[in-house]
Amino acid sequence: MPNYYFHTDNAKQALDAIANGLSSVRLSTDLNLSEQDFALSDQCLVLDADNRLSIDTLKSIVKKTQRIYLCRDGAMTPLEDRSTGYYKLAPTAGAPLLEISGVKMHISKGTDPFTSASEMAQQAVRKGDKVLDCCSGLGYAAIAAHRLGASEVLSIELSPEVMGLRALNPWSNDLKQAGIVQRQGSSYELISTLPAASFDSVIHDPPRFSLAGELYSEEFYREIFRVLRRDGRLFHYTGNPHVVKKGSSFVDGVIHRLKAAGFKNVQKVEHLMGVSAQK
């Protein structure tokens, strides 16, 4: 059975069409990947024989802003996981973003999460590269690297909750493409098991420092340096934390540790809230 995804915007579109007495409405039910026409009958949105959304159901979706619902087999389920915290997918004008305990895990202001992840990949990845994607999240950077012509992408994600959400996210479907390998585990632990000089580029998009300080350590940066081939490239998302003290910022500390680990041409990439570097 097909999956249908609903949130405030497309539920409101359906309600407006019903209120205007229309017989059909054109909607995206795959989170902005495509659009199609759906029938309106008996004050309901008809998705298929098993899935009909009443006005009351659509109104309840409209009220829950920043939440995405999966409609399948006649049931409506929010795309969230509360087992060990609060993980959810939230709608944007493009690809959905991941939120963990209220913290957005993507750049979305003035762009959308897939576009910003693609720009991160472009900072490091060239055609034919073998790519390591640390802290993969929804897999957008890994997919972008694959589309840029990477020969192979190793995607590592620690959280089983995140991996569960991305399995339901239509924008993450290309992680199943040949050439992308998904591994669940700690990037900090797994990188030490990878052979030296085995990657041409690394995309490193860790959680914020307070949640995973080890992924910002000189020790971890030395491991990235080790697994990169000569002239290999790194893009490291750092976020945009506040200045810690006058004259010294968090990002300056990242740059210092990258240089200490052996990297050269270390530069801030302001619009992507990160740092690029080369072996």
Side-chain angles (χ1 to χ4, degrees):
M1 295 292 291
N3 293 338
Y4 304 98
Y5 299 85
F6 276 85
H7 48 84
T8 296
D9 290 347
N10 59 354
K12 189 174 186 303
Q13 283 180 269
L15 284 171
D16 289 345
I18 292 171
N20 289 325
L22 302 181
S23 61
S24 67
V25 62
R26 191 164 186 82
L27 297 173
S28 175
T29 58
D30 58 6
L31 301 176
N32 307 310
L33 285 169
S34 66
E35 292 184 338
Q36 67 181 101
D37 293 320
F38 295 94
L40 301 170
S41 177
D42 299 324
Q43 298 289 290
C44 288
L45 171 65
V46 182
L47 301 173
D48 58 36
D50 298 314
N51 294 281
R52 298 167 63 93
L53 303 186
S54 68
I55 288 177
D56 286 345
T57 297
L58 291 166
K59 284 182 176 179
S60 70
I61 295 170
V62 168
K63 290 177 182 177
K64 300 291 186 179
T65 60
Q66 296 305 301
R67 188 171 292 180
I68 298 171
Y69 291 86
L70 170 60
C71 181
R72 180 172 60 186
D73 299 329
M76 188 78 70
T77 308
L79 290 184
E80 59 185 33
D81 188 315
R82 296 175 179 266
S83 58
T84 61
Y86 185 32
Y87 299 76
K88 75 170 184 176
L89 297 187
T92 76
L97 63 83
L98 173 67
E99 281 190 16
I100 301 178
S101 299
V103 178
K104 294 179 180 180
M105 307 305 288
H106 305 271
I107 301 173
S108 57
K109 187 175 181 180
T111 183
D112 81 88
F114 197 93
T115 300
S116 60
S118 298
E119 291 176 353
M120 291 181 194
Q122 289 167 18
Q123 291 287 320
V125 179
R126 303 295 182 269
K127 187 175 181 180
D129 277 5
K130 186 175 179 182
V131 181
L132 174 61
D133 179 28
C134 298
C135 312
S136 186
L138 297 179
Y140 294 164
I143 293 168
H146 185 262
R147 292 180 182 177
L148 287 167
S151 61
E152 182 181 325
V153 182
L154 174 58
S155 164
I156 301 174
E157 170 56 41
L158 174 62
S159 168
E161 294 84 3
V162 171
M163 295 190 80
L165 285 173
R166 80 183 185 190
L168 297 171
N169 177 19
W171 283 82
S172 301
N173 283 345
D174 275 2
L175 286 171
K176 302 169 187 174
Q177 292 278 344
I180 300 179
V181 178
Q182 301 181 65
R183 290 186 67 178
Q184 190 270 320
S186 163
S187 293
Y188 183 78
E189 295 173 359
L190 289 175
I191 196 168
S192 64
T193 70
L194 302 175
S198 54
F199 294 93
D200 301 289
S201 48
V202 175
I203 304 163
H204 181 38
D205 185 3
R208 57 186 175 178
F209 182 84
S210 61
L211 296 176
E214 71 278 5
L215 295 174
Y216 297 82
S217 66
E218 184 181 328
E219 178 186 7
F220 186 73
Y221 295 163
R222 288 187 180 277
E223 284 296 308
I224 295 177
F225 189 85
R226 182 186 65 81
V227 301
L228 273 172
R229 293 172 181 152
R230 184 176 180 182
D231 296 324
R233 293 166 298 275
L234 164 69
F235 180 79
H236 177 1
Y237 176 74
T238 60
N240 191 26
H242 64 278
V243 173
V244 177
K245 59 183 178 180
K246 189 173 181 180
S248 175
S249 75
F250 173 77
V251 178
D252 290 335
V254 167
I255 291 172
H256 174 77
R257 292 189 294 278
L258 285 170
K259 289 180 177 178
F263 284 96
K264 60 186 180 182
N265 299 330
V266 184
Q267 298 178 349
K268 292 181 183 178
V269 185
E270 300 279 3
H271 72 288
L272 293 176
M273 301 185 194
V275 175
S276 64
Q278 189 174 3
K279 182 168 179 177

